[in-house]
């Protein structure tokens, strides 16, 4: 009886391990090799060969790929989830992605089947309040709720960030304060905006873009023609020569111009 119970427990444990492995997030990043696309691991080693005309990031273990003018979806092993048939394909989020086929736009599920039920309403996200804006002589400062730190009223605008940072503006330039009121980025940027995951702000300077990290330090140089929001820990950029590439959350670039 004890032996049978032990075997049953081992079987259940094995099943749980398999399920966990199946739901574990992929660590592959789209990698451009010349003009072709594959997927690399975090050491930039090509894991799925560069055989696509374009590739998107893995979201919920599924990524879109393009061959010619049409798109399809693959899983983390490079296996097709859908045929390459769509004229437009979006990233998966909350178990669904928007596609276009024969002029019709609709959502599909993670198995590639068409969804008929409407998408659930997006949850409303409220910024984390760190304190209160104070005003004096037409300028603004900040008083933190926790601790004794405060920011003098010397700025024209202050924006409260989700991740414990403050974005401040004097005249036409923006900088960044940390949660202690210390200036961690000088007033040098033309614009600062949050990205999709609210962790890595995008900064703009002289028409070029870059990213800051969660503490407000430089994650990348300000050198990209375009910088899109991070999806989990991967972001799509337009490189200085006008091509498309991806970065990971350490700022590492995943492309090479060698074919």
């Amino acid at each position: 009886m004890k032996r049978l119970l032990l075997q049953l427990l081992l079987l259940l444990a094995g099943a749980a391990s398999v399920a966990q492995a199946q739901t574990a997030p992929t660590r592959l990043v789209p990698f451009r090799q010349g003009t072709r696309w594959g997927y690399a691991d975090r050491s930039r080693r090509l894991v799925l060969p560069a055989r696509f005309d374009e590739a998107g990031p893995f979201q919920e273990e599924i990524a879109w790929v393009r061959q010619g003018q049409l798109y399809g979806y693959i899983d983390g092993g490079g296996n097709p989830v859908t045929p390459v048939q769509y004229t437009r394909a979006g990233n998966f989020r909350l178990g669904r992605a928007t596609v276009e086929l024969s002029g019709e736009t609709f959502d599909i599920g993670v198995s590639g089947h068409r969804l008929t039920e409407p998408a659930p309403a997006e949850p409303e996200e409220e910024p984390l309040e760190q304190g209160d804006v104070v005003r004096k002589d037409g300028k603004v400062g900040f008083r933190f709720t926790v601790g004794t730190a405060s920011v003098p009223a010397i700025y024209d605008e202050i924006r409260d960030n989700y991740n414990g940072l403050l974005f401040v503006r004097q005249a036409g330039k923006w900088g960044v304060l940390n949660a202690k009121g210390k200036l961690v980025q000088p007033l040098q940027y033309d614009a600062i905006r949050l990205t999709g995951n609210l962790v890595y702000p995008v900064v703009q300077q002289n028409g070029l873009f870059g990213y800051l990290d969660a503490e407000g330090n430089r994650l990348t140089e300000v050198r990209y023609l375009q910088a899109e929001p991070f999806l989990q820990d991967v972001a799509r950029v337009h490189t200085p020569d006008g091509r498309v590439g991806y970065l990971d959350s350490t700022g590492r670039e995943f492309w090479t111009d060698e074919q």
Side-chain angles (χ1 to χ4, degrees), residues 212-251:
L212 304 180
D213 65 15
E215 286 75 40
N217 303 310
R218 282 273 189 99
L219 179 68
T220 72
E221 295 299 316
V222 182
R223 61 187 294 265
Y224 302 110
L225 301 181
Q226 292 184 35
E228 298 184 12
F230 267 84
L231 295 174
Q232 293 181 356
D233 54 358
V234 174
R236 178 185 175 100
V237 298
H238 285 213
T239 66
D241 63 359
R243 299 188 182 188
V244 173
Y246 282 84
L247 308 173
D248 70 3
S249 56
T250 68

Side-chain angles (χ1 to χ4, degrees), residues 93-94 96 119-125:
R93 187 171 187 273
L94 301 177
R96 58 199 304 142
E122 290 284 339
E124 293 186 4
E125 302 217 18

Side-chain angles (χ1 to χ4, degrees), residues 25-47:
T26 182
R27 307 308 298 170
L28 298 182
V29 180
F31 189 95
R32 177 173 58 77
Q33 191 175 56
T35 59
R36 304 289 285 172
W37 288 80
Y39 289 86
D41 60 20
R42 292 310 169 108
S43 65
R44 300 179 81 249
R45 180 178 63 89
L46 205 60
V47 175

